[in-house]
Amino acid sequence: MTSTELTSTDATLTGERADLLEALGNARFFLRNTAQNLTEEQANQNSTVSELTIAKLIKHVAETESSWARFIVEGPSAMDFDEADWHALWTVTEPLATLLDRYAEVAARTDELLATLPSLDVAHKLPEAPWFEPGKSWSARRVFAHIATETAQHAGHADIIRETIDGQKSMG
């Protein structure tokens, strides 16, 4: 199978859908790989000046990806967060295995959405936030690209955290 032909559960994907699926898969692999063989203590260790841990990053990325996938279907209301919701994204009480299982479930749903969405051109206005241009809309295509980009960014951060914990490099 080539990088431009990936098989979903019910359809063969080609072109931009295959490219997006591959980009998502690559970024997710590197993030998940940072957690390989970690103890619970290591997964929750603050090993840099950042408050982030590998467990927090995995939880954040899974929940954020889930929200963006809902945005594609429901629009900006799927992104309504209050302060308690935001705090919960960064609070880890679950074991690492549970976080990784949740992330796998979210990824599978996102991949299925990518494979089955009638058009990648469906667009919604972005929610109001200081980091979004007011009134701007994003297509499903742009959202999938954003998920891959954000995941890759967090995978890089997780790689630094992992290297600080035990010298392991997940990305190189």
Side-chain angles (χ1 to χ4, degrees):
M1 195 170 311
T2 69
S3 63
T4 58
E5 181 177 278
L6 300 174
T7 302
S8 171
T9 54
D10 59 352
T12 298
L13 299 180
T14 60
E16 69 181 326
R17 289 181 194 249
D19 290 345
L20 287 166
L21 191 61
E22 184 176 6
L24 286 165
N26 287 339
R28 290 178 188 135
F29 167 80
F30 283 117
L31 179 58
R32 291 179 64 87
N33 198 41
T34 62
Q36 190 174 24
N37 300 319
L38 286 179
T39 65
E40 291 297 324
E41 182 180 339
Q42 289 171 319
N44 289 286
Q45 182 179 339
N46 294 97
S47 63
T48 67
V49 296
S50 171
E51 288 295 316
L52 296 178
T53 66
I54 290 174
K56 285 180 182 179
L57 284 168
I58 290 169
K59 180 174 183 174
H60 167 71
V61 169
E63 297 309 317
T64 302
E65 179 174 323
S66 178
S67 294
W68 278 115
R70 284 193 320 275
F71 171 84
I72 291 169
V73 176
E74 301 169 20
S77 64
M79 303 294 281
D80 287 341
F81 289 103
D82 61 24
E83 192 171 328
D85 294 329
W86 182 253
H87 181 70
L89 282 176
W90 297 106
T91 303
V92 173
T93 57
E94 307 88 345
L96 179 60
T98 300
L99 295 173
L100 289 167
D101 287 347
R102 165 80 174 134
Y103 189 28
E105 292 168 9
V106 167
R109 282 196 306 273
T110 302
D111 291 350
E112 187 63 25
L113 178 62
L114 175 58
T116 61
L117 194 67
S119 172
L120 295 180
D121 293 325
V122 63
H124 299 289
K125 282 191 174 187
L126 291 169
E128 290 185 28
W131 46 86
F132 294 133
E133 183 180 331
K136 181 131 182 157
S137 292
W138 276 6
S139 67
R141 176 184 298 99
R142 176 67 184 93
V143 172
F144 287 123
H146 176 72
I147 294 169
T149 300
E150 184 169 317
T151 303
Q153 178 181 358
H154 287 310
H157 193 168
D159 189 51
I160 292 167
I161 293 169
R162 177 63 189 256
E163 188 174 356
T164 306
I165 290 171
D166 64 4
Q168 293 296 309
K169 295 179 185 178
S170 59
M171 297 180 81

